Every structure is written in C-alpha cells, then in structure tokens.
Amino acid sequence: MAGSSMPRTGDHSILTAIGGTPLIRLGGIVPDGAAEVWVKLEGGNPTGSYKDRMALSVIRAALERGDIRQGDTLVEFTGGSTGMSLALVAGVLGLKFTAVFSDAFSHSKQQAMEAFGATVVVEHSDDGLITTALAERMRERAHDLAAQPGHHYVDQFGSPDVPPGYVPMGTEIATSLGGEFDVFCHGVGTGGALMGALDGMRAAGASPQVVALEPTQAPLLSEGRSGAHSVEGIAVFTDPPFLDRSRLDDVRAIDQDRAFDTCRRLACSEGVFAGASTGLNVAAAIELAEQLGSGHRVVTIACDTGLKYLGEQPYV
Ligand SMILES: Cc1ncc(COP(=O)(O)O)c(C=O)c1O
C-alpha cells in the first residue's frame, strides 16, 4: 500500500499534468470548402490555462540554477491567471508565492489564487478601472516586496525562461500533425506563447506561416495605436517583450465582438468553452481557413477555460 512513508520515485505530482493537452479538429463551425482548423486545448492544464507551462518553466529554471531555494517567496504582480499558475507550481515545489493584485480585477481570481496557497496583496484601483498608472503601482509594490531577504521577483514580462515554457506546446502540435500544417495563428500579449510554440514547431520539423493576432479595437501591432478593449490577456504592449516581429508573416486584427460571438458558438456547437482570446484566435483561424481552402490546415490555441470568466463578458 502506498503511504506517506513510501519514497517517491520520479515525479508523480500534479506538475506532470501540465502540458500534453489534446489537439482537436473543429467541426460544423468551419464552413464547407475551408481548410481544416485544429485547436490545442490548453484549458486542460491544472489551473485551466497555458500559463501553467510558463510558471513551471520559470520556477524550475530558477531552482535548477540555484537562484531560489525551498522556503523562499516568489513575488509577481498579476491580474490573476498567471498568479494562479505561479501559486500552484510554487506550492508543489516547496516555495511561497505573494501576488500583488488589485480590486480592478474580479474577486473570484483573488479567491482562486488564495485557494492555491498564495498570499494576495491588494493595490487599490481608482473606481475599479485598469489603468497604466495602476499597473505601474502594482509593479513598484511587487519590486518593493521582492527586495526583502528570501524574496524573488518572477518577472513574467521579462524573464528569458518564459518562452521556453511554451516550446513543448509547439512540439506537441507539430508531432500530432506529423509536421503537416500551413498556418499557425495566435493572439499576442507578451508574445511568449507565440514565440515559444513556434520554436517548438520548428524543432519538430514544421515550418508554418505565422500570423499574430490582435483586436481591431487595439491595433498595437498593425497600426502602433492602443485602444480600450475587452479581450483579456492580449493587446497590452506596444512592444511585446518576447515578440520577434521578423518571424511573423502577417498580423491580423479581429473585431472583439466577433471574438465573443465565436466563443459562444465554440461552446454551443463544438463543446469548447474558452475565454475571449480563444474566441479571437478561432475567429481568425476560420477566416484564414476560408482563404486557404480545403487541403490545408490552420492551427491555433484555446489558451484557457471559459470557466475562469463566468460572470464577466462575454458570458453575462
Ligand atoms: C487568456 C490569455 N490569452 C492570451 C494571452 C497571451 O499570451 P502571451 O502573453 O504569451 O502572449 C494571455 C496572457 O496573459 C492570456 O492570459
């Protein structure tokens, strides 16, 4: 009988459930005569988001280098999703995690981080609005906390260990499709997922065309202009920290209303319940598939589960 005194051989922890997510082909939502559309379902990761891959990469690399050790406290400012992933991985690897959060984000995200063992410090917003001034205050508070002995700043927007976390996602896709697909399209926040996945695809012998996506309401990449939008996770930086534009074949802007509508159709007719950035990815993938026509394949990513956004747009 297995018991607590039983020595552990190898890793059988929840961390082994990060990655290895399913890749599905969409059905009736894709018009007849269009190319195949394949979607990597990242909502299957333990916290329901592909950020688990990033958290594992960043924390494991820091432990391996000896930059951090068990009992230390990691600090990051976050709107919640990354915080959940960092809390989960930190807890399993014997570290503590403090999230600098704000009341501008949904309270359920705070509860979820706390459920995974995080200490949550709340920076108060002005009237519940997400502004650059608020983000700056959160960043400063995280830096101040991380300056204490035994504390370390994770740096999700700058750590070189972020893109490598997504390499296996690209490798898994390319291996599942035998390297045979024409286009990979994906929305850009930091650009870490797009670049890391592309590295993985290339390493597995695939060389798709790469299309970066953003909402029409915030055409940062296509027009260098920012704007208010409601697609959480993407279109936040004028110059996304991990994005190498020389590796892109195209940038495409998709109206956020189409992204929300695609989310609803994805859930109702394909059974894929995901967040708005996934709706935007899939709307773009279908558009590209119609242009390419049958005999081709387009791949995109369902970044997270829609269960994270209940009570928020576009599900209210
Ligand atoms: C839901 C969601 N989609 C997409 C992204 C974009 O990922 P990346 O920052 O790797 O470009 C994020 C990042 O925060 C996200 O939370």
Side-chain angles (χ1 to χ4, degrees):
M1 270 287 281
S4 56
S5 59
M6 194 109 160
R8 269 197 180 187
T9 48
D11 185 3
H12 299 286
S13 77
I14 188 74
L15 303 182
T16 62
I18 296 176
T21 52
L23 180 73
I24 64 156
R25 182 181 163 191
L26 295 182
I29 197 175
V30 180
D32 288 344
E36 295 175 7
V37 176
W38 291 78
V39 183
K40 184 78 166 153
L41 298 185
E42 291 292 306
N45 284 299
T47 73
S49 160
Y50 69 12
K51 296 281 168 182
D52 291 353
R53 296 182 185 262
M54 185 271 276
L56 184 59
S57 169
V58 169
I59 295 177
R60 203 170 250 168
L63 279 168
E64 281 168 9
R65 280 194 302 266
D67 295 350
I68 56 175
R69 61 184 70 179
Q70 289 203 345
D72 284 355
T73 302
L74 302 174
V75 183
E76 184 57 280
F77 70 104
T78 169
S81 280
T82 297
M84 245 180 269
S85 300
L86 289 169
L88 173 133
V89 176
V92 173
L93 292 177
L95 298 148
K96 295 181 211 123
F97 173 61
T98 297
V100 177
F101 188 65
S102 170
D103 55 6
F105 306 107
S106 75
H107 186 60
S108 61
K109 297 246 170 75
Q110 177 174 347
Q111 290 172 309
M113 287 191 285
E114 286 169 344
F116 282 113
T119 299
V120 180
V121 174
V122 178
E123 184 68 35
H124 292 286
S125 63
D126 302 317
D127 299 330
L129 293 175
I130 302 169
T131 59
T132 43
L134 173 67
E136 193 47 38
R137 288 205 303 278
M138 290 170 70
R139 195 181 67 82
E140 274 172 26
R141 194 142 171 206
H143 275 274
D144 288 349
L145 288 168
Q148 301 170 97
H151 288 59
H152 304 271
Y153 182 50
V154 174
D155 197 10
Q156 60 163 319
F157 303 118
S159 165
D161 301 318
V162 168
Y166 297 106
V167 167
M169 186 167 75
T171 314
E172 290 163 23
I173 291 170
T175 307
S176 300
L177 295 175
E180 300 288 318
F181 56 107
D182 303 278
V183 178
F184 171 47
C185 66
H186 186 47
V188 172
T190 62
L194 179 62
M195 292 292 112
L198 184 58
D199 286 339
M201 289 170 179
R202 294 258 158 90
S207 41
Q209 297 269 301
V210 184
V211 182
L213 308 174
E214 61 186 2
T216 312
Q217 286 75 6
L220 289 161
L221 303 175
S222 50
E223 294 176 31
R225 189 163 56 77
S226 111
H229 71 95
S230 311
V231 187
E232 278 190 47
I234 63 167
V236 270
F237 300 98
T238 321
D239 195 12
F242 303 116
L243 188 70
D244 177 354
R245 286 178 188 241
S246 71
R247 301 180 74 191
L248 303 180
D249 295 288
D250 199 4
V251 175
R252 190 168 285 232
I254 301 285
D255 191 280
Q256 68 180 22
D257 291 340
R258 268 187 63 214
F260 292 149
D261 181 57
T262 306
C263 270
R264 287 184 283 264
R265 293 198 297 134
L266 257 182
C268 296
S269 61
E270 305 282 341
V272 176
F273 184 34
S277 67
T278 299
L280 192 133
N281 278 355
V282 172
I286 293 174
E287 200 174 275
L288 287 157
E290 286 182 285
Q291 285 166 11
L292 279 172
S294 59
H296 295 91
R297 281 176 173 163
V298 179
V299 172
T300 194
I301 293 169
C303 313
D304 59 6
T305 168
L307 293 170
K308 282 177 178 258
Y309 303 95
L310 287 174
E312 296 175 32
Q313 287 282 3
Y315 305 109
V316 286

